[in-house]
Amino acid sequence: GLMENFFGLLKTEMFYDQEYKYHNLQELTQAIEEYIEYCNNERIKSRLKGLAPKEYRSQASINPIF
């Protein structure tokens, strides 16, 4: 379910009605890699207390829950 949600979001945000942006497979691959990098390191998530996933993981490793 989690991966289905991610791929649905990826397609909605960067592909549907935007196919004209990518002239070849290499450009599409590069755009997907940049999107994944953005999602993992910069995109702020409300369920992660307003932090990007990378920041949240870093904070969690410094302040363990248990």
Side-chain angles (χ1 to χ4, degrees):
L2 183 62
M3 290 308 295
E4 288 178 19
N5 183 46
F6 171 77
F7 284 114
L9 193 60
L10 179 135
K11 289 186 284 188
T12 299
E13 290 188 358
M14 63 173 298
F15 189 70
Y16 293 142
D17 296 327
Q18 301 178 48
E19 297 92 338
Y20 64 89
K21 290 182 178 179
Y22 312 110
H23 299 100
N24 56 46
L25 187 57
Q26 185 176 5
E27 288 181 9
L28 177 60
T29 302
Q30 180 66 32
I32 291 171
E33 290 173 358
E34 290 171 3
Y35 181 79
I36 291 171
E37 182 73 20
Y38 166 74
C39 286
N40 285 331
N41 297 308
E42 299 173 34
R43 185 180 195 145
I44 293 175
K45 307 251 183 191
S46 59
R47 68 176 188 189
L48 299 180
K49 302 178 184 176
L51 300 171
K54 184 177 181 179
E55 295 170 326
Y56 185 79
R57 287 189 303 267
S58 175
Q59 183 182 33
S61 67
I62 293 171
N63 302 315
I65 297 171
F66 53 102

